[in-house]
Amino acid sequence: MSDNNAEASSSTSTTPVTVSVAASRNGRTPGKAHKGEKTALKRSYISQSIKTPFEKRREKDRQQEAMKAVEKELKDDKQAEKDRKVAVIKERRERAAEKQRMEDMKAKMSAKKLQRMKKRQGRTKKING
């Protein structure tokens, strides 16, 4: 019986330790007292672009936009020069083709004229001869 008394006295003398838990925003307390309060995660591997201040990022964006504008202007100038050269070449070819057509028509007309003259000469020889 002394063993039972010893066990009974030890269980009554040891009381569970109560840990107070802070109330949350909603007035509820978490069920796990051993866990700490939740906080935002601190990441050491966060990207450099997020770490930089907003104004610096805006300035960088402005510089990139300016660079792109200059690049676009240069490309447009180059394309305009190329288009101008193509237009000059096309115009030159059209003029050459028109000149060739005129020469062909002139040759054809002169051949018809010669043909008509030969017909007349043949008639006049018959009439005169």
Side-chain angles (χ1 to χ4, degrees):
M1 289 229 179
S2 66
D3 289 336
N4 286 342
N5 287 341
E7 286 178 20
S9 65
S10 67
S11 64
T12 56
S13 66
T14 313
T15 59
V17 179
T18 57
V19 178
S20 64
V21 180
S24 66
R25 273 190 302 190
N26 299 330
R28 295 171 27 193
T29 57
K32 298 177 180 170
H34 64 280
K35 290 199 170 184
E37 200 173 311
K38 290 186 178 180
T39 59
L41 181 65
K42 292 185 181 178
R43 298 179 296 178
S44 61
Y45 55 87
I46 195 166
S47 70
Q48 192 63 31
S49 63
I50 296 173
K51 283 184 182 179
T52 57
F54 181 76
E55 284 303 316
K56 279 190 177 179
R57 284 184 282 166
R58 289 301 125 228
E59 184 60 33
K60 189 176 181 182
D61 288 346
R62 283 190 214 103
Q63 287 175 353
Q64 285 179 344
E65 286 173 12
M67 214 181 321
K68 283 182 183 179
V70 169
E71 210 173 273
K72 188 178 186 309
E73 187 178 334
L74 291 173
K75 282 184 182 179
D76 290 346
D77 289 347
K78 191 174 181 180
Q79 186 64 37
E81 183 65 24
K82 188 176 178 181
D83 292 345
R84 188 189 64 78
K85 285 181 180 179
V86 167
V88 167
I89 291 169
K90 281 184 179 180
E91 187 179 329
R92 189 181 314 135
R93 286 180 183 166
E94 286 175 7
R95 280 195 311 248
E98 184 65 26
K99 186 177 178 182
Q100 184 65 36
R101 276 195 298 273
M102 293 302 274
E103 286 176 5
D104 290 346
M105 196 175 354
K106 191 175 181 182
K108 189 176 181 183
M109 294 302 265
S110 103
K112 284 186 177 181
K113 189 175 181 182
L114 283 173
Q115 199 175 23
R116 280 195 308 269
M117 287 176 71
K118 283 181 184 177
K119 280 185 182 179
R120 282 187 191 159
Q121 285 176 358
R123 284 186 201 158
T124 54
K125 283 184 183 176
K126 286 182 183 178
I127 296 173
N128 290 338

